[in-house]
Amino acid sequence: HPTLAVSRAALLPPPGGPGDAAGQTLPVESRPFTSYGSALHIALPQAPRAGQLLTLLIDYEAGEGPGVCWLSPEQTAGKQKPYMYTQGQAVLNRSFFPCFDTPSVKFTYSATVKVPEGFTAVMSATSWEKQKDNTFVFKMSQPIPSYLIALVVGDIVSADVGPRSRVWAEPCLIEAAKKEYDGVIEEFLVVGEKLFGPYVWGRYDILFMPPSFPFGGMENPCLTFVTPCLLAGDRSLVDVIIHEISHSWFGNLVTNATWGEFWLNEGFTMYAQRRISTEVYGLPYTCLEAATGRALLRQHMDATGEDHPLNKLRVVIEPGVNPDDTYNETPYEKGYCFVSYLAHLVGNQSKFDAFLQAYVNRFKFQSITADDTLGFFLEYFPELKEKGVDSIPGFEFDRWLNMPGWPPYLPDLSPGQQLMRPAEELAELWAADSLNMEAIEAVDIMGWRTYQLVYFLDQVLQKSPLPEGNVKRLSKMYPKISKAQNAELRLRWCQIVLKNNLEAEYSKVKDFLHSQGKQKYTLPLYRAMWAGSEATRALAMETFSATAPQLHVNVQNYVKKILGLAAAE
C-alpha cells in the first residue's frame, strides 16, 4: 500500500505575478512503477516551454514509509523519549516527500519543521534556525540529489568540537561524543581541502544515532549520521568519519548519475579516505586498514562466487530491481582498486592528487557516469591517452567496468607488512596443534592499534576452527580482545566464537546483537549462526525474536531471509 498519500496538486502563479494564490488545481494520478514506489503523474494545463520555471504545490501526508524510521523510547540510548529519522539512500526518500528520486537530478531545498516541546529537529542543510513555537527552519543552498535530504527529530543536544563542527547526540551520549571527536574533525577537513579542494558545505557536524541505526555512517551533507558504535572510547574508529568526510567531495559534490555506477561514489571515497589517512596516520597504518578492506572483498567474493554479476563495477540494475538489494563490498573495494590503478598509470602521487582536484572542480554539483570520469582522465593526461592505457590487455577500462571478478590490479600494501607480519605470526602460533606458550607470551599485543588486532582476528578466523581448546586459552589470555567494547573487535570475536563452537561465550554474540543493529555487523553474525550447529541456529532464532523490533525494517527483512523465515520483501 502506498506510504505517501497525495491529496492535491496545484500550479501556483509565478512569484510576484498575478493569479490566484491558492493556485490552479491539477489532476493527479498514481501509476504502478515497481515494488518500491509508484509514479506520481500530474497533468499540466498546457505544455511548458523549455527553461520555463513552474511552481507546483503538492499537499501530501507521509510517515509510514521505509525511508521514515520511528523509534520507540526503548530503541534509543536514553530510553525516555521517542525518536524519528529519515534514511534516503538509495531510493527511500520517495516515501518521505514527492521528488525526482534519482541521483541524476540535483536541487536546493528549504524546510520548516514544527516539533513537540522537548524535541529538537536537525536536517542536512547549510543553515538552520530555531524560531518560536518549537519551529525550525532549514535551507540547503547547494544543489544535492534527493537521497541526501535527511531529517532527525529527537531529544538531542550538541557540543562544539571544532571551528566548523559540532557533535549532536542524546544527552546521555554527548560527553562521550565530545571527548571522542574534540579537535580531530578539523584536522581531517583541512587535509581533505588540501588534497581535493575547498570544502563547500559550510559546517561539518556529526549526529550520533540511536543504536538501531543500520549503517556505520550516512554522509548527509553538513550533518553526517553515524552509528554510536564509533564511540569506542579510544578514537580507534575514526576512519569511518574520514570516509564520510571524503564524501564531501566524492558522492555529495560529484555524484553517480545512476546506482549501477555506485563505485563512482564509493571507490573514489575509499581512495580519498586512504589518502587522508596516509597524510594523518602514515602509510603503514593505512595499508593495514586497506588490507582489512581487501579481506572483506575476498570474503564477499568467496560467498557469492567471483563471477556473480554484482561483482562488476558497472552493475546492470534491471527495471524493477531495488538498487538497495545490489549493495555489497564491490563498489567500495574493487572501486578503490580501480582508482588506485588509475593512480598507478599516472605513476606520481602529487600529479594524481592534482588530477583529483581538477576532476572535482570540473564535475562539482553534477551527476556523472563512468564514461565522464574516464574520458576526463584521458583528456587530463593526453600522454596516457596517446599510449592507449584504456586498452592494455588484461587491464582494459572496459574489463574493469563490465567483467565480474577479482580486481585485475591490486595496489601494493607491503608498507603495512611491519604491522601485519607480527599479527600473521601470532595467528600461526595460535593455530598450532600444541601451543608454544613461550613464543606466544613473548608477543605483547597491548601496544597494538585496533586495526592490527582486527587483522590478527581476521587471520585467526580464516584458520578456524582451531585445534580443541586453543580459542578458550586465547580468550583467557587476551581479555583486551575477548572482553573488548570496540565494535570491530566484538564482531570478529563473535565470529570466532561461532566458528569454533565456543558455547561458553555464545552469550557475547547475543549481547553484541542486542547492543546495536548495524547491518555490516548483524548480517554476518546471523549467517555464521545459521551455517553452524543446532545450538547456534537456536541462538539465532532466540536473538532475532528478542531484537527484531529494534532493527531497521530492511535489516529485519535481510535477517528473515537468512533464517528462512519469510521471502525478503
Side-chain angles (χ1 to χ4, degrees), residues 72 81 83 111 152 167 244 255 269 296 347 352 382 420-421 455 487 504:
S72 60
K81 292 183 182 177
Y83 193 104
V152 160
V167 287
E244 305 310 338
T255 308
T269 294
L296 286 174
F352 191 70
M420 289 175 328
R421 201 170 296 113
Y455 187 77

Side-chain angles (χ1 to χ4, degrees), residues 381-457:
F381 295 110
E383 67 285 6
L384 293 181
K385 186 177 185 171
E386 196 71 22
K387 273 175 32 192
V389 293
D390 56 340
S391 49
I392 298 168
F395 302 92
E396 300 89 345
F397 288 1
D398 182 70
R399 178 192 178 121
W400 274 104
L401 294 175
N402 299 313
M403 290 271 289
W406 195 241
Y409 168 88
L410 295 169
D412 172 27
L413 302 181
S414 59
Q417 278 302 322
Q418 61 191 71
L419 298 169
M420 289 175 328
R421 201 170 296 113
E424 286 161 9
E425 287 165 1
L426 187 60
E428 285 290 339
L429 288 170
W430 279 105
D433 281 323
S434 59
L435 293 176
N436 178 346
M437 290 314 290
E438 195 183 347
I440 286 173
E441 281 162 9
V443 183
D444 177 21
I445 67 161
M446 287 317 282
W448 286 13
R449 305 232 355 213
T450 295
Y451 271 97
Q452 209 172 355
L453 294 168
V454 161
Y455 187 77
F456 165 64
L457 293 177

Side-chain angles (χ1 to χ4, degrees), residues 225-247:
F225 291 11
V226 295
T227 170
C229 295
L230 296 194
L231 299 175
D234 57 4
R235 296 196 166 178
S236 60
L237 298 183
V238 288
D239 60 284
V240 174
I241 297 290
I242 301 179
H243 180 89
E244 305 310 338
I245 284 176
S246 300
H247 272 306

Side-chain angles (χ1 to χ4, degrees), residues 91-167:
V91 290
L92 297 175
N93 267 350
R94 59 192 63 180
S95 71
F96 169 29
F97 59 95
C99 57
F100 295 109
D101 200 7
T102 159
S104 63
V105 175
K106 292 190 172 185
F107 45 83
T108 57
Y109 82 89
S110 62
T112 304
V113 183
K114 189 173 188 332
V115 301
E117 198 56 50
F119 289 86
T120 298
V122 289
M123 289 189 82
S124 53
T126 39
S127 76
W128 73 280
E129 55 167 313
K130 185 175 180 181
Q131 299 185 341
K132 57 179 190 306
D133 302 331
N134 248 17
T135 300
F136 296 84
V137 178
F138 302 95
K139 268 197 191 65
M140 167 49 85
S141 56
Q142 310 281 28
I144 57 171
S146 57
Y147 74 89
L148 291 175
I149 294 186
L151 165 70
V152 160
V153 178
D155 177 17
I156 51 174
V157 292
S158 69
D160 284 323
V161 292
R164 46 184 159 173
S165 303
R166 60 174 78 96
V167 287

Side-chain angles (χ1 to χ4, degrees), residues 303-547:
T304 57
E306 280 199 18
D307 49 6
H308 192 287
L310 284 184
N311 298 336
K312 299 191 278 201
L313 288 181
R314 185 183 273 150
V315 177
V316 180
I317 302 180
E318 297 292 348
V321 171
N322 187 336
D324 272 326
D325 293 339
T326 66
Y327 183 85
N328 71 91
E329 281 307 327
T330 302
Y332 292 79
E333 295 295 346
K334 188 175 179 176
Y336 165 70
C337 289
F338 189 20
V339 180
S340 300
Y341 175 65
L342 297 177
H344 164 75
L345 289 174
V346 174
N348 173 312
Q349 188 65 60
S350 57
K351 273 189 183 162
F352 191 70
D353 288 345
F355 158 73
L356 287 176
Q357 199 160 139
Y359 167 71
V360 168
N361 194 42
R362 168 75 177 77
F363 294 114
K364 62 182 181 221
F365 303 118
Q366 296 175 50
S367 302
I368 63 171
T369 65
D371 292 342
D372 295 321
T373 300
L374 297 171
F376 181 73
F377 175 77
L378 294 171
E379 185 186 311
Y380 188 88
F381 295 110
E383 67 285 6
L384 293 181
K385 186 177 185 171
E386 196 71 22
K387 273 175 32 192
V389 293
D390 56 340
S391 49
I392 298 168
F395 302 92
E396 300 89 345
F397 288 1
D398 182 70
R399 178 192 178 121
W400 274 104
L401 294 175
N402 299 313
M403 290 271 289
W406 195 241
Y409 168 88
L410 295 169
D412 172 27
L413 302 181
S414 59
Q417 278 302 322
Q418 61 191 71
L419 298 169
M420 289 175 328
R421 201 170 296 113
E424 286 161 9
E425 287 165 1
L426 187 60
E428 285 290 339
L429 288 170
W430 279 105
D433 281 323
S434 59
L435 293 176
N436 178 346
M437 290 314 290
E438 195 183 347
I440 286 173
E441 281 162 9
V443 183
D444 177 21
I445 67 161
M446 287 317 282
W448 286 13
R449 305 232 355 213
T450 295
Y451 271 97
Q452 209 172 355
L453 294 168
V454 161
Y455 187 77
F456 165 64
L457 293 177
D458 279 340
Q459 301 295 310
V460 170
L461 182 59
Q462 271 172 11
K463 298 176 195 305
S464 292
L466 300 188
E468 192 63 36
N470 286 19
V471 175
K472 201 172 156 189
R473 288 198 70 172
L474 192 151
S475 172
K476 219 169 124 181
M477 175 133 179
Y478 304 135
K480 177 175 180 170
I481 290 173
S482 60
K483 293 193 166 67
Q485 282 311 297
N486 182 301
E488 293 288 326
L489 297 176
R490 287 175 82 179
L491 165 68
R492 286 163 179 84
W493 183 247
C494 288
Q495 289 174 303
I496 288 166
V497 162
L498 291 168
K499 194 84 194 263
N500 290 278
N501 293 316
L502 190 62
E503 291 193 28
E505 299 197 21
Y506 282 173
S507 61
K508 286 188 177 153
V509 179
K510 199 164 77 176
D511 292 345
F512 184 46
L513 289 170
H514 273 263
S515 74
Q516 54 74 43
K518 184 180 163 184
Q519 189 169 308
K520 280 187 175 174
Y521 298 154
T522 303
L523 301 187
L525 289 176
Y526 278 105
R527 283 195 199 103
M529 287 188 278
W530 204 244
S533 60
E534 280 303 302
T536 61
R537 285 189 161 203
L539 180 71
M541 285 297 194
E542 177 203 344
T543 307
F544 183 60
S545 63
T547 59

